[in-house]
Amino acid sequence: QVQLVESGGGLVQPGGSLRLSCTVSGTIFGIYMAWYRQAPGKQRELVARITTDGSTSYLDSVKGRFTISRHNVKGAVYLQMDSLKPEDTAVYYCNNDPSTWYWGQGTQVTVSS
């Protein structure tokens, strides 16, 4: 069973930055990967996607602020988040796309002054 471990979250002021990391116990070669988030009282949503050839796509509200990347050999996926806003506050998860693996514990991102 693939295990996902997210890290890098924390408390940051509006306008700040965070870099999230996700390690995958299995291979990610040939697999579309994505970052998702779930805010309190809301459904989980896909934030950023990266294909096997490195093409990326983003939720409209994070375009130009977030950057997803991957390291196939390390089995890792990253999310660089800049110009953070309070509405980015959520638990962030990584998974394949579409999400078929068991979810990890996620990492909490809180944007607040």
Side-chain angles (χ1 to χ4, degrees), residues 47-62:
V47 174
R49 171 191 291 115
I50 186 165
T51 67
T52 54
D53 66 0
S55 298
T56 58
S57 58
Y58 299 91
L59 185 68
D60 282 348
S61 61
V62 309

Side-chain angles (χ1 to χ4, degrees), residues 2 10-11 19-20 37 44 48 63 65 67 75 80 101 104 106:
V2 173
L11 173 63
R19 185 174 187 255
L20 306 184
R37 70 185 180 188
R44 189 172 291 161
K63 283 181 181 177
R65 301 188 297 119
T67 304
Q80 177 66 41
W101 294 334

Side-chain angles (χ1 to χ4, degrees), residues 24-71:
V24 183
S25 62
T27 183
I28 62 171
F29 279 96
I31 296 174
Y32 284 27
M33 295 296 299
W35 281 95
Y36 304 78
R37 70 185 180 188
Q38 187 167 20
K42 295 187 178 181
Q43 290 189 331
R44 189 172 291 161
E45 61 182 354
L46 191 150
V47 174
R49 171 191 291 115
I50 186 165
T51 67
T52 54
D53 66 0
S55 298
T56 58
S57 58
Y58 299 91
L59 185 68
D60 282 348
S61 61
V62 309
K63 283 181 181 177
R65 301 188 297 119
F66 289 12
T67 304
I68 187 172
S69 59
R70 62 190 294 159
H71 195 301

Side-chain angles (χ1 to χ4, degrees), residues 88-111:
D88 295 319
T89 295
V91 180
Y92 284 71
Y93 304 85
C94 70
N95 210 317
N96 55 356
D97 175 39
S99 56
T100 61
W101 294 334
Y102 283 113
W103 295 93
Q105 83 285 354
T107 186
Q108 175 71 48
V109 172
T110 303
V111 185

